[in-house]
């Protein structure tokens, strides 16, 4: 199914297809290999895929890494935990440990006032 979605070339439909891939991963985390194949196929389509891929890949990275990056961890890990979100998000300024976390796995790690007011979707 994701293979066919990667072939969608009409911009509005391609954005919706990417959103469907994100929703698929939300419901089926074991589908990460299929999502990676989707991203790979879209990357092969060149710069035109950027507008579709950037939000999807950023959201997938944030969702997958958020619990580890917002955990308090040891004192020795805190600097790296703060630095990694900035580096892995390709310079997205809003990407901080507090902004990464919107899912239930993060609810105890980030105080409610520090969590973004979203529906859990990026």
């Amino acid at each position: 199914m994701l293979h066919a979605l990667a072939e969608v070339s009409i911009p509005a439909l391609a954005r919706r297809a990417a959103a469907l891939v994100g929703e698929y991963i939300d419901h089926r985390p074991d589908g990460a290999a299929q999502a990676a194949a989707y991203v790979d196929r879209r990357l092969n389509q060149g710069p035109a895929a950027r507008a579709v891929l950037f939000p999807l890949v950023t959201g997938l990275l944030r969702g997958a890494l958020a619990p580890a990056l917002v955990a308090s961890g040891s004192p020795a890990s805190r600097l790296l935990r703060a630095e990694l979100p900035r580096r892995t998000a390709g310079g997205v300024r809003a990407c901080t440990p507090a902004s990464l976390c919107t899912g239930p796995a993060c609810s105890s790690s980030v105080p409610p006032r520090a969590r973004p007011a979203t529906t859990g979707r990026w």
Side-chain angles (χ1 to χ4, degrees):
M1 173 182 82
L2 299 186
H3 173 70
L5 291 176
E7 301 305 320
V8 174
S9 60
I10 299 169
L13 295 178
R15 284 189 298 274
R16 182 62 190 135
L20 287 172
V21 172
E23 290 173 21
Y24 172 74
I25 292 300
D26 286 346
H27 296 288
R28 300 277 318 261
D30 60 323
Q34 289 99 352
Y38 168 87
V39 169
D40 185 53
R41 286 186 157 297
R42 293 296 298 180
L43 285 169
N44 287 331
Q45 295 169 1
R50 185 184 194 285
V52 170
L53 284 179
F54 191 78
L56 172 66
V57 171
T58 302
L60 292 173
L61 285 172
R62 287 175 176 172
L65 298 176
L69 295 175
V70 299
S72 60
S74 69
S77 73
R78 291 190 184 125
L79 183 61
L80 188 54
R81 287 177 195 269
E83 180 183 4
L84 280 171
R86 291 189 300 273
R87 301 253 179 173
T88 59
V92 175
R93 288 176 180 32
C95 186
T96 65
S99 72
L100 286 170
C101 206
T102 60
C106 303
S107 60
S108 63
S109 302
V110 179
R113 68 182 179 280
R115 276 186 247 131
T118 68
T119 61
R121 298 283 312 143
W122 288 93

